[in-house]
Amino acid sequence: MFLFDNHIHLQPSGRCVDAINDFEKFGGTHIMLCHTPYYEFTGAAPGDYESDYSLTLQIAEKVRKETNVNVFVCIGPYPGDITFLMKSMTLAQAKEKMMKGMELAAKLVREGKATALGEIGRPHYPVEPEVWEASNDILRYGFKLAKDANCAAVVHSESATWQTFSELAKMADDTGLPRWRVVKHYCPPVVDEKENHGIFPSVLAGRDNIKSMLKTSTRFLLETDYMDWLQRPDAVMAPQTVPRNMKRLLAAGAITEEQIFKINQENPEKVYGIEIR
Ligand SMILES: [Zn+2]
């Protein structure tokens, strides 16, 4: 049985591979390792995407070597970077830097070093209208590059409302990226396609979320958004949560093996164009 966590972060200064040992111990088999900026920990300059991305790729390689877990990577300029960059440059310069970061990420996808663009998007906290607009421009550019690279885009944004879904759907349509290739990370459990506009939900793997979504559909991915911060060890959820909850629900008769297959294998294979083996 394959069990897939669609959104995990690992920090060079965190538990790193050790956290994935927990995932594996509970039966987890595949992860989407999501790039996160490391400047808060390393003191590196924000916006140095070349070195920041290579750190994520190195962590992925380390996990592959030291565990039996299959690691896919999503990579891109983190939406909150814009705020950090603007401490030392203008908005136009920050935008330019992040656009370049997006191009580099797309190149890594085309070279097969990463699977998807992400997490990209717009700040989850209030910003000035011009910062919001710049973030949308960067995101739209990401969608365009994802379309050209034939890959998915993992979106980080404000918590998704009907309006968020409709804006993302429009952006996807405008750039030619299929809506199902837009993965809304940290998504509320909204699986009805009339409500999520065909955007692909990636939802926190709590058992109540899973049970409520299964009443409607299996068209979703599960994530822990594990942050790997030592001062908040199990934030957002502990790394073993996806396999542990899949097995608990299966034992309780609340999910079938067929549904587990759809969520952990068929869905990621389709959305990302990968093979879960
Ligand atoms: Zn994340």
Side-chain angles (χ1 to χ4, degrees), residues 7-9 34-36 78 119 156 185 223 225-227:
H7 202 100
I8 279 200
H9 299 286
C34 298
H35 173 73
T36 203
Y78 183 72
E119 49 193 297
H156 167 112
H185 142 65
E223 63 175 56
D225 197 18
Y226 175 68
M227 308 294 299

Side-chain angles (χ1 to χ4, degrees), residues 19-226:
I20 303 306
N21 287 333
D22 284 357
F23 174 76
E24 190 174 12
K25 219 176 292 163
F26 280 79
T29 58
H30 294 69
I31 61 170
M32 181 60 72
L33 177 67
C34 298
H35 173 73
T36 203
Y38 303 106
Y39 43 75
E40 287 178 88
F41 303 96
T42 60
D48 183 355
Y49 290 111
E50 188 114 29
S51 77
D52 231 25
Y53 291 167
S54 75
L55 201 45
T56 297
L57 297 177
Q58 281 168 36
I59 293 171
E61 220 26 65
K62 197 167 152 64
V63 176
R64 289 183 191 116
K65 266 200 202 104
E66 297 177 23
T67 74
N68 294 310
V69 170
N70 291 274
V71 186
F72 301 98
V73 173
C74 76
I75 211 150
Y78 183 72
D81 284 358
I82 199 155
T83 305
F84 277 86
L85 289 168
M86 282 172 64
K87 288 176 183 172
S88 61
M89 61 185 78
T90 65
L91 174 59
Q93 288 167 327
K95 182 175 165 183
E96 172 74 19
K97 223 180 204 340
M98 289 177 72
M99 296 276 214
K100 288 269 177 288
M102 197 71 86
E103 288 167 6
L104 178 58
K107 179 168 168 273
L108 293 169
V109 171
R110 287 195 308 269
E111 291 171 354
K113 292 178 184 150
T115 293
L117 294 184
E119 49 193 297
I120 58 174
R122 51 197 192 193
H124 57 275
Y125 46 86
V127 290
E128 296 297 320
E130 58 272 21
V131 176
W132 189 251
E133 203 183 303
S135 297
N136 277 322
D137 290 346
I138 298 164
L139 178 58
R140 196 173 296 110
Y141 187 49
F143 279 13
K144 172 83 179 54
L145 292 175
K147 194 233 167 227
D148 294 344
N150 195 25
C151 74
V154 176
V155 173
H156 167 112
S157 71
E158 75 282 3
S159 78
T161 61
W162 190 90
Q163 192 184 345
T164 313
F165 288 126
S166 67
E167 285 178 23
L168 292 175
K170 180 169 189 313
M171 216 180 262
D173 295 352
D174 289 349
T175 53
L177 182 66
R179 293 183 185 188
W180 52 266
R181 284 234 128 137
V182 178
V183 177
K184 175 62 183 90
H185 142 65
Y186 209 85
C187 193
V190 178
V191 285
D192 184 330
E193 286 184 65
K194 282 195 281 303
E195 287 177 60
N196 66 31
H197 294 247
I199 300 301
F200 215 98
S202 180
V203 181
L204 286 183
R207 280 178 288 174
D208 289 344
N209 270 350
I210 300 169
K211 281 194 239 168
S212 97
M213 290 189 288
L214 285 176
K215 286 182 195 147
T216 310
S217 155
T218 52
R219 189 185 178 279
F220 59 88
L221 295 163
L222 291 172
E223 63 175 56
T224 53
D225 197 18
Y226 175 68

Side-chain angles (χ1 to χ4, degrees), residues 10-22 25 226 228-230 233-234 238-240:
L10 295 175
Q11 303 285 346
S13 55
R15 288 182 65 203
C16 207
V17 177
D18 189 40
I20 303 306
N21 287 333
D22 284 357
K25 219 176 292 163
Y226 175 68
D228 203 19
W229 290 344
L230 294 177
D234 285 340
Q240 67 272 22

